[in-house]
Amino acid sequence: MKKAAFVTKEQIDEIKKTYPTPFHLYDEAGLRRNCEAVKEAFSWNPGFREYFAIKALPNPIILKIFQEYGFGCDCASETELMLARALHYAPEEIMFSSNDTPASEFRLAKEIGAVINFDDITHIDYFLEQVGPLPETVSCRYNPGGVYEISNGIMDNPGDSKYGFTKAQLFEGFKKLKEKGVKRFGLHSFLVSNTVTNDYYPQLARTLFELAVELQEATGCEIAFINLSGGVGIAYLPEQTPNDIRIIGAGVQKAYQDILVPAGMGDVAIYTEMGRFMSGPYGCLVTTAIHKKLIYKKYIGVDACAVDLMRPAIYGAYHHITVLGKENEECDHLYDITGSLCENNDKFAIDRMLPKIEIGDTLVIHDTGAHGYSMGYNYNGKLKSAELLLKEDGSVQLIRRAETPKDYFATLDGFEIYQELV
Ligand SMILES: *Cc1c(COP(=O)(O)O)cnc(C)c1O
């Protein structure tokens, strides 16, 4: 499938007059269409709620769009909880799916009334000792260990992952939580990341539903919700077929009817904590070619770098690139597209066939709407880019300004370097 950018050269040329590149641009219309599809896909479950994983795109303007669809948020840190609080989510709309959690964050989560999703059995006593009595609703994260394989060969190694309770620990943990006054229970698991198949959620649902029936029978605990967490992927590669959330929702419904309904658990709510699927395709990094370098390979240097988008550098992740205005030209030039960090993996693309690129051309790096801006850092003292929202009416809103040197130097104490420099 041909991957097209959601903006044209004309639109970007206009935007560049006000906002210099690089910047991340988000597509409100696309975000909204996807929200509708997610709602519809799970409308068969009256308690359904998507808790958007804030870490994917922690911008309040975007979170407000999700709020319009009744979606909550999933937090794992102090600042994510603070963002949730500032946006006035109802307590039950905030999931706290953290790990290696400091007591101060458990305290804040409790104060806000967020749903606590324990990552480890020892966190129950830690919470009781450091924070106080448990809330009435508590969730636990499950790790089945071993290798988890989905029908089409996609797999991951939960046995090597740091998250969750073992199966035996879940039975013990639920009993303990019940003794300590917990009334409503949740079960959560996140086994494979970025699954580009409609089978992952339905298969995970079967695993968790069967376990929930066992747990409820063995412990007498009332299971109120099952949280399928994140992991629903997107088609980064042009040859991939994007997931169809309606097929995924129907697959989960089938598992629900096969397993939970006959066990008398037809009132369990389904929760999700999707990040990537909610925002990934509806963002792009817009950057300008500033250098062309010919040595042993052909390099195009752009004005963005791994600080703006880390995935290619740390995972070797593929992000599709469109050279704006050259969408219909032949991809007959082989390039590495690089950023400016003193770090050789600062490359947005390696050995990529693209149309001939001239200095000044605008490149759109696709699918940066999740785990893009938010993963950024400040290596080489490089400053993070702005975030813009392309609104449904075609106008553009600055939703986060670019960092300035003053921001970068702001955390130095006792040394007023910024004053010296300006
Ligand atoms: C990262 C994360 C998510 C979101 O994952 P995606 O792959 O972006 O959907 C959800 N839940 C938890 C606990 C996470 O750590």
Side-chain angles (χ1 to χ4, degrees):
M1 208 173 79
K2 197 172 153 83
K3 274 178 86 83
F6 59 79
V7 279
T8 60
K9 180 169 188 304
E10 291 65 38
Q11 279 175 299
I12 289 292
D13 285 346
E14 200 50 41
I15 297 170
K16 276 172 120 177
K17 288 181 190 163
T18 313
Y19 304 106
T21 56
F23 52 79
H24 285 271
L25 182 70
Y26 306 116
D27 172 24
E28 181 180 10
L31 286 165
R32 288 187 183 274
R33 268 196 316 276
N34 190 57
C35 287
E36 303 275 355
V38 168
K39 261 192 99 141
E40 194 190 308
F42 290 93
S43 57
W44 54 269
N45 183 255
F48 171 75
R49 181 173 285 133
E50 150 69 4
Y51 292 82
F52 177 67
I54 287 193
K55 73 169 190 257
L57 180 46
N59 190 298
I61 306 297
I62 304 290
L63 295 172
K64 278 186 179 181
I65 295 175
F66 292 145
Q67 280 182 318
E68 287 181 40
Y69 298 84
F71 298 158
C73 64
D74 169 39
C75 306
S77 69
E78 179 186 15
T79 52
E80 289 178 356
L81 286 168
M82 288 169 75
L83 201 48
R85 173 182 255 182
L87 284 162
H88 305 292
Y89 284 93
E92 68 274 13
E93 293 173 334
I94 307 171
M95 187 65 60
F96 188 54
S97 291
S98 59
N99 70 94
D100 188 24
T101 315
S104 59
E105 293 184 5
F106 274 139
R107 256 178 242 122
L108 180 58
K110 189 184 176 189
E111 193 185 317
I112 294 176
V115 181
I116 305 221
N117 183 25
F118 281 121
D119 178 68
D120 188 58
I121 192 161
T122 65
H123 293 186
I124 300 171
D125 281 333
Y126 182 78
F127 190 99
L128 288 166
E129 285 158 20
Q130 304 274 333
V131 183
L134 292 157
E136 283 204 349
T137 302
V138 165
S139 172
C140 295
R141 181 169 185 163
Y142 172 50
N143 180 337
V147 172
Y148 197 77
E149 196 169 345
I150 316 173
S151 49
N152 64 357
I154 296 176
M155 59 163 101
D156 216 327
N157 287 297
D160 282 342
S161 104
K162 66 174 178 171
Y163 305 110
F165 292 50
T166 66
K167 186 168 176 180
Q169 286 173 339
L170 273 184
F171 285 80
E172 194 188 330
F174 269 44
K175 278 184 209 146
K176 175 156 203 170
L177 289 165
K178 194 176 172 204
E179 275 166 33
K180 301 288 179 186
V182 173
K183 302 259 182 312
R184 300 170 70 249
F185 292 76
L187 188 60
H188 169 282
S189 196
F190 188 164
L191 300 184
V192 192
S193 208
N194 191 30
T195 56
V196 189
T197 161
N198 294 322
D199 296 337
Y200 171 62
Y201 259 8
Q203 184 175 324
L204 174 65
R206 279 183 190 274
T207 304
L208 289 180
F209 294 170
E210 279 162 7
L211 178 59
V213 172
E214 270 187 72
L215 272 167
Q216 186 156 306
E217 276 169 8
T219 63
C221 294
E222 185 212 326
I223 296 186
F225 62 85
I226 290 172
N227 184 345
L228 302 174
S229 190
V232 179
I234 61 171
Y236 287 102
L237 298 154
E239 60 267 29
Q240 284 176 315
T241 305
N243 286 334
D244 184 335
I245 197 68
R246 292 178 181 87
I247 296 176
I248 292 173
V252 175
Q253 181 180 20
K254 175 85 171 49
Y256 193 97
Q257 275 158 355
D258 288 349
I259 301 162
L260 289 183
V261 172
M265 293 170 70
D267 56 351
V268 170
I270 299 300
Y271 293 167
T272 55
E273 293 172 342
M274 291 182 281
R276 197 183 312 274
F277 187 79
M278 298 304 294
S279 60
Y282 315 109
C284 62
L285 175 60
V286 180
T287 183
T288 305
I290 58 170
H291 290 290
K292 191 180 259 199
K293 173 165 178 151
L294 300 174
I295 47 169
Y296 308 102
K297 294 179 87 173
K298 219 181 268 181
Y299 296 95
I300 296 293
V302 295
D303 60 2
C305 65
V307 162
D308 305 299
L309 177 68
M310 229 177 151
R311 300 185 70 258
I314 57 172
Y315 310 125
Y318 179 95
H319 278 264
H320 198 65
I321 293 178
T322 298
V323 184
L324 282 186
K326 298 187 175 174
E327 288 83 348
N328 298 316
E329 287 183 21
E330 210 178 322
C331 292
D332 53 1
H333 282 65
L334 187 68
Y335 293 117
D336 280 13
I337 307 294
T338 77
S340 57
L341 296 187
C342 304
E343 172 66 77
N344 195 41
N345 38 4
D346 184 13
K347 292 181 179 175
F348 292 115
I350 297 174
D351 295 331
R352 185 80 56 91
M353 293 302 292
L354 289 165
K356 182 162 196 246
I357 297 174
E358 302 298 346
I359 289 172
D361 279 352
T362 305
L363 275 63
V364 164
I365 303 177
H366 291 237
D367 302 317
T368 69
H371 315 297
Y373 177 90
S374 59
M375 218 183 244
Y377 59 138
N378 279 123
Y379 198 45
N380 266 157
K382 285 279 174 177
L383 304 173
K384 294 176 73 184
S385 69
E387 293 182 292
L388 307 177
L389 179 64
L390 176 64
K391 310 240 282 194
E392 281 187 298
D393 64 7
S395 65
V396 167
Q397 183 186 352
L398 179 68
I399 58 172
R400 190 194 296 268
R401 66 164 172 80
E403 281 181 347
T404 65
K406 192 172 181 178
D407 298 320
Y408 179 72
F409 293 122
T411 47
L412 292 172
D413 248 340
F415 188 70
E416 296 299 324
I417 185 169
Y418 187 73
Q419 260 55 36
E420 307 277 322
L421 294 177
V422 291

